[in-house]
Amino acid sequence: MKILIAEDESKTGEYLKQGLTEAGYTVDWVSDGQSALNQVLTDGYDLLILDVMLPKMDGWTLLSTIRKAEYWMPVLFLTAQSHLDDRVRGLELGADDYLIKPFAFTELLARIKSLLRRSQQQDNDMISVADIELDLRRRRVTRAGRKIDLTAKEFLLLELFMRRQGEILPRSLIASQVWDMNFESDTNVVEVAIKRLRNKIDQDFHPKLIKTIRGMGYVLETEIEENR
């Protein structure tokens, strides 16, 4: 797990980096908001530990900027400010937790583990391709933010396509995975189901994601993959 610390107090920053490194995490530390933003935009992190009062760009602005850019790693705010309004502001901007200085390292570690565990659970419950999001726990599908109602088989079919994005799926494989049946050449159940699924997730949207590969099967791919 990779953690970024944005903390301008060198003593605190060094303490946190050493402690979290010893706890088994890969840790980067920067001392100003602009550097933190650059790191987030150019490198992947599983968690951001963010001080509110940072030079060059304060924590509020940094958090708002990365959320608008659709970076959704958990963010833990560190602050010397104990006012309720400050905590509420941070949560409304997209922070996941708040820890007031001074704090015990054991509490910080416990909160980090909780945030990372929650994030992993959410990742396991969600599948995303292009602008389609499939929520496995709620059995809910959206495209471009619009809710799409699918039957149980259509949901399973879409899940199969999304899990195997970019892979050409033969009709026989689709039939066995979604309907749990041996494929018969005179059965058009696969074609009918895919046509209905396309009408729901592709007809009113761009780009079209489900493609027919003549003589081979079907594939779900984005324009970027298609043009490679």
Side-chain angles (χ1 to χ4, degrees), residues 129-130 143 161-162 164-168 202 207-213 218-228:
V129 175
R143 180 159 190 191
F161 275 123
M162 293 178 70
R164 303 180 73 160
Q165 173 191 355
E167 180 181 345
I168 298 173
D202 269 349
K208 310 304 181 189
L209 296 177
I210 298 179
K211 316 281 193 319
T212 301
I213 309 299
Y218 302 90
V219 61
L220 185 147
E221 62 182 1
T222 64
E223 280 189 329
I224 294 175
E225 292 168 328
E226 186 179 12
N227 293 329
R228 283 185 306 196

Side-chain angles (χ1 to χ4, degrees), residues 101-115:
K101 298 177 180 178
F103 52 84
F105 184 79
T106 52
E107 182 181 3
L108 172 66
L109 199 57
R111 295 200 185 199
I112 288 172
K113 290 179 179 178
S114 177
L115 288 173

Side-chain angles (χ1 to χ4, degrees), residues 103-220:
F103 52 84
F105 184 79
T106 52
E107 182 181 3
L108 172 66
L109 199 57
R111 295 200 185 199
I112 288 172
K113 290 179 179 178
S114 177
L115 288 173
L116 292 173
R117 184 167 56 247
R118 190 191 315 165
S119 178
Q120 287 178 314
Q121 290 171 347
Q122 289 173 346
D123 288 343
N124 291 336
D125 287 341
M126 296 291 297
I127 308 174
S128 298
V129 175
D131 56 354
I132 295 181
E133 291 189 349
L134 188 147
D135 187 328
L136 295 170
R137 183 167 54 86
R138 300 180 187 176
R139 312 300 286 181
R140 185 173 183 267
V141 177
T142 62
R143 180 159 190 191
R146 187 192 309 178
K147 186 175 182 292
I148 298 173
D149 293 320
L150 300 181
T151 66
K153 290 300 184 185
E154 289 167 349
F155 188 94
L156 289 174
L157 181 57
L158 180 59
E159 180 184 351
L160 175 64
F161 275 123
M162 293 178 70
R163 286 191 184 279
R164 303 180 73 160
Q165 173 191 355
E167 180 181 345
I168 298 173
L169 305 179
R171 295 159 67 213
S172 57
L173 184 146
I174 295 171
S176 65
Q177 293 290 316
V178 177
W179 284 271
D180 194 23
M181 68 179 191
N182 293 325
F183 180 76
E184 298 177 3
S185 59
D186 60 350
T187 299
N188 69 346
V189 63
V190 173
E191 289 85 348
V192 171
I194 289 177
K195 181 179 179 180
R196 290 176 177 169
L197 182 61
R198 278 173 162 163
N199 287 339
K200 293 182 178 182
I201 71 164
D202 269 349
Q203 183 169 286
D204 298 329
F205 301 92
H206 183 79
K208 310 304 181 189
L209 296 177
I210 298 179
K211 316 281 193 319
T212 301
I213 309 299
R214 190 177 298 277
M216 300 179 67
Y218 302 90
V219 61
L220 185 147

Side-chain angles (χ1 to χ4, degrees), residues 25-173:
Y25 297 105
T26 300
V27 184
D28 290 330
W29 166 44
V30 294
S31 58
D32 66 82
Q34 186 60 55
S35 296
L37 177 60
N38 294 340
Q39 287 288 107
V40 169
L41 296 181
T42 58
D43 209 344
Y45 290 96
D46 299 293
L47 178 74
L48 171 60
I49 299 176
L50 178 59
D51 186 25
V52 173
M53 303 307 294
L54 291 172
K56 298 186 181 180
M57 180 184 294
D58 62 54
W60 310 122
T61 304
L62 174 58
L63 177 58
S64 178
T65 302
I66 64 176
R67 291 306 192 221
K68 286 178 181 177
E70 298 190 349
Y71 286 80
W72 301 110
M73 81 287 285
V75 174
L76 172 63
F77 255 134
L78 298 180
T79 180
Q81 302 293 329
S82 61
H83 300 299
L84 178 61
D85 289 346
D86 290 331
R87 297 199 298 274
V88 170
R89 182 183 179 188
L91 295 172
E92 287 179 342
L93 287 173
D96 297 273
D97 202 354
Y98 222 105
L99 197 56
I100 298 172
K101 298 177 180 178
F103 52 84
F105 184 79
T106 52
E107 182 181 3
L108 172 66
L109 199 57
R111 295 200 185 199
I112 288 172
K113 290 179 179 178
S114 177
L115 288 173
L116 292 173
R117 184 167 56 247
R118 190 191 315 165
S119 178
Q120 287 178 314
Q121 290 171 347
Q122 289 173 346
D123 288 343
N124 291 336
D125 287 341
M126 296 291 297
I127 308 174
S128 298
V129 175
D131 56 354
I132 295 181
E133 291 189 349
L134 188 147
D135 187 328
L136 295 170
R137 183 167 54 86
R138 300 180 187 176
R139 312 300 286 181
R140 185 173 183 267
V141 177
T142 62
R143 180 159 190 191
R146 187 192 309 178
K147 186 175 182 292
I148 298 173
D149 293 320
L150 300 181
T151 66
K153 290 300 184 185
E154 289 167 349
F155 188 94
L156 289 174
L157 181 57
L158 180 59
E159 180 184 351
L160 175 64
F161 275 123
M162 293 178 70
R163 286 191 184 279
R164 303 180 73 160
Q165 173 191 355
E167 180 181 345
I168 298 173
L169 305 179
R171 295 159 67 213
S172 57
L173 184 146

